[in-house]
Amino acid sequence: MKQIVTAFYFAVFSLLAQAQNIGLPDFTELVEKQGPAVVNISTTQVIRGNGRGVQPFPFDENDPMFEFFRRFIPRQPGMPGTPGIPGAPREFESRSLGSGFIISSDGFILTNAHVVDSADEILVRLTDKREYKAKVIGADKRTDIALIKIEASALPVVRVGDPNILKVGEWVIAIGSPFGFDNSVTAGIVSAKGRSLPQENFVPFIQTDVAINPGNSGGPLFNMKGEVVGINSQIYSRTGGSMGISFAIPIDVAMDIQNQLKASGKVSRGRIGVVIQDVTKELAESFGLSKVQGAVVNAVEKGGPAEKAGVEPGDVILKFDGKPVNSSGDLPRIVGTSKPGSKVSMQVWRKGSIRDLTLVVGEITDEKSVARSGKSPKPAEQAANRLGLVVSELSSDKKRELKINGGLLIEDIRGNAVRADLRPGDIILALIARGETTEIASVDQFNKLLGQFDKAANITLLVRRGELQTFVTIKGLPDKKAE
């Protein structure tokens, strides 16, 4: 009897063990086959100072990497390279790490634009320890895609998959060099698709819970078939390390960009000249739409493609070039991939009925691409203010053109910026707080105003965007020491 009971429990435990293993993926074969096509990328940039001393750490004290640099690249008072010390050198080298993957056997490699941005030297290391110097064929900052090239042949290459058939909940893995640890493998699932991020209008990101850390940037995201479906680009983090939310650029977007970079070293994008916003439930009811969809046109650029096609403020764009516009975030991506100069159809909702228009796509002229011509210019770094904004004063000619008396142009929004609906190109006209409105006339005035508020304060900015003005409320401010 005892033997029967023992055999029974043994069978039960075996079944439980098998059940626990059902559905758990085995990545070993995938990593063995695809790992050799993943590369480590290290870059060197020469930082030039003004002769009064150079800050040796390219990170703010609040940045998680500052402590790493402080420990391993110490600077004592009086040593060369210490800020403010007479006789300090005029330049020093800044190094960074990233990842990439080989897409052709003759040495073309995809990575992130921010991995190679402003690099004076790019070194690619393969899994077999071979090292090559690489050159930048082209880089597109809008999508954060860069194409680089090494002089080699018969290289292992990745297989490209279709991110459109990727499903939420599907297993994916990343191979890269987090913190410089070559060919590290992390796994997780797709947690969302088509994710829009602030200031990222041209990429429908794949969101995953794969552990991504500094150094993983530019590395591939694989599906279980061993196909690349994305390029790991960003993480959401309060600490600088992985917190279970990472974002990858769909590989079809990346391949379209690299084709243009290979052909001309730059990317051409369409534009139609409208200012848009999302359709809310309340707006849909007001416009008589049967469901919440489309992009509401707030303003139309004079003489632009949309005005020539007959688009009017208040129109709701439902389709563009036959593709549905489910939300306002869809429109920039669809328009951006349209060929400038091409004729496309556009469906709009106007005053209770659908209208079909024909539009000739224009071209974005302020393209943020680094062309094939070698090193990109290195403008002087501007400091961000308490809100994480880099702002500048408008010229007299620009004020006359816009018919305004003052205001500050938002040139950049840094990573530690407050979460608000602000964009580069916006013009801050006034600050409203405690029942008082102050018109903004200079950078110093604006920064002094920001310094008067405590962390719990709520402020509202009057912002001009295109031909429209809007109010943007900021709830809670960073510490005063934050920049």
Side-chain angles (χ1 to χ4, degrees):
M1 182 68 180
K2 184 177 180 181
Q3 291 178 335
I4 295 174
V5 172
T6 301
F8 172 77
Y9 280 114
F10 179 78
V12 170
F13 286 135
S14 296
L15 288 172
L16 287 173
Q18 291 175 20
Q20 288 177 344
N21 287 325
I22 291 175
L24 295 180
D26 181 357
F27 304 112
T28 54
E29 185 177 351
L30 189 162
V31 173
E32 183 178 348
K33 289 183 177 179
Q34 302 302 324
V38 182
V39 302
N40 170 273
I41 298 174
S42 58
T43 65
T44 303
Q45 179 187 1
V46 177
I47 307 297
R48 292 173 175 82
N50 55 15
R52 296 193 299 270
V54 181
Q55 169 59 268
F57 303 131
F59 297 98
D60 183 82
E61 290 186 12
N62 296 317
D63 194 298
M65 290 300 290
F66 178 86
E67 181 64 17
F68 174 84
F69 269 72
R70 187 189 70 79
R71 288 175 180 269
F72 292 98
I73 314 177
R75 290 289 185 269
Q76 301 299 327
M79 289 180 63
T82 304
I85 301 298
R90 290 178 178 271
E91 61 183 44
F92 67 93
E93 289 187 349
S94 173
R95 301 178 184 274
S96 63
L97 298 172
S99 304
F101 53 96
I102 305 168
I103 59 172
S104 69
S105 60
D106 57 349
F108 283 98
I109 295 168
L110 275 182
T111 185
N112 284 148
H114 75 261
V115 169
V116 298
D117 185 32
S118 300
D120 293 292
E121 183 179 76
I122 303 169
L123 190 66
V124 171
R125 185 168 63 250
L126 309 185
T127 57
D128 60 10
K129 307 305 179 185
R130 285 184 291 170
E131 294 185 348
Y132 299 89
K133 286 187 177 181
K135 64 178 180 179
V136 177
I137 302 301
D140 178 53
K141 291 186 179 180
R142 290 184 186 272
T143 53
D144 199 19
I145 296 295
L147 180 67
I148 64 176
K149 177 76 164 60
I150 60 176
E151 295 304 321
S153 59
L155 296 172
V157 299
V158 298
R159 290 190 294 129
V160 175
D162 183 0
N164 296 304
I165 61 175
L166 197 65
K167 295 181 179 180
V168 174
E170 185 174 335
W171 281 97
V172 285
I173 74 164
I175 304 179
S177 304
F179 303 108
F181 296 110
D182 295 9
N183 275 75
S184 295
V185 181
T186 52
I189 62 168
V190 176
S191 51
K193 288 182 63 179
R195 186 70 79 197
S196 295
L197 300 180
Q199 321 310 326
E200 302 285 355
N201 293 329
F202 295 99
V203 179
F205 285 96
I206 303 168
Q207 179 182 311
T208 77
D209 68 352
V210 177
I212 299 296
N213 287 289
N216 274 115
S217 292
L221 183 73
F222 290 99
N223 63 17
M224 289 303 296
K225 297 176 183 177
E227 300 168 334
V228 176
V229 291
I231 301 179
N232 298 307
S233 175
Q234 301 185 36
I235 60 173
Y236 177 81
S237 176
R238 298 184 184 277
T239 64
S242 174
M243 295 185 72
I245 300 180
S246 57
F247 301 96
I249 304 160
I251 193 62
D252 57 346
V253 173
M255 293 304 289
D256 174 65
I257 296 299
Q258 74 87 24
N259 285 334
Q260 295 189 58
L261 293 176
K262 186 183 292 187
S264 62
K266 66 183 185 69
V267 177
S268 295
R269 286 192 176 84
R271 65 182 297 273
I272 60 174
V274 293
V275 178
I276 58 173
Q277 74 176 68
D278 250 336
V279 176
T280 63
K281 184 175 182 294
E282 292 74 20
L283 283 175
E285 291 175 355
S286 298
F287 290 143
L289 287 166
S290 59
K291 62 179 181 178
V292 180
Q293 61 176 329
V296 181
V297 176
N298 287 341
V300 182
E301 176 188 311
K302 291 182 179 178
E307 186 188 56
K308 292 177 180 178
V311 178
E312 299 177 2
D315 286 352
V316 180
I317 301 175
L318 302 177
K319 288 184 180 181
F320 189 89
D321 197 18
K323 302 178 181 69
V325 179
N326 296 313
S327 68
S328 62
D330 293 336
L331 188 63
R333 293 197 289 264
I334 299 171
V335 174
T337 57
S338 302
K339 186 177 179 180
S342 61
K343 275 189 177 182
V344 301
S345 61
M346 184 165 64
Q347 187 181 89
V348 302
W349 178 266
R350 181 185 300 168
K351 298 177 181 178
S353 62
I354 289 177
R355 301 197 181 193
D356 293 314
L357 306 175
T358 300
L359 178 145
V360 178
V361 179
E363 183 174 7
I364 293 178
T365 55
D366 61 336
E367 184 58 62
K368 298 179 181 179
S369 292
V370 180
R372 177 193 303 273
S373 60
K375 298 177 184 177
S376 58
K378 300 176 185 177
E381 182 75 5
Q382 291 179 269
N385 62 19
R386 186 180 179 186
L387 299 180
L389 306 176
V390 177
V391 294
S392 65
E393 295 168 13
L394 299 170
S395 66
S396 299
D397 290 341
K398 191 64 176 177
K399 291 176 186 176
R400 280 196 296 271
E401 177 189 337
L402 298 175
K403 298 179 181 179
I404 57 178
N405 297 321
L408 298 178
L409 174 68
I410 299 178
E411 295 191 347
D412 193 14
I413 300 179
R414 298 285 162 81
N416 64 341
V418 295
R419 292 189 171 277
D421 184 24
L422 295 171
R423 308 172 189 172
D426 286 352
I427 297 174
I428 300 173
L429 299 176
L431 185 151
I432 302 99
R434 302 166 184 161
E436 295 184 5
T437 299
T438 305
E439 293 186 355
I440 303 302
S442 70
V443 174
D444 287 341
Q445 174 214 19
F446 184 49
N447 290 342
K448 285 178 182 178
L449 283 172
L450 294 177
Q452 296 174 5
F453 301 103
D454 57 33
K455 289 177 62 175
N458 294 338
I459 65 172
T460 296
L461 302 178
L462 174 60
V463 174
R464 175 161 175 163
R465 182 174 298 158
E467 296 184 352
L468 295 179
Q469 292 185 178
T470 185
F471 292 98
V472 176
T473 299
I474 298 170
K475 299 181 179 180
L477 304 179
D479 290 329
K480 293 182 181 180
K481 65 180 181 180
E483 294 184 349

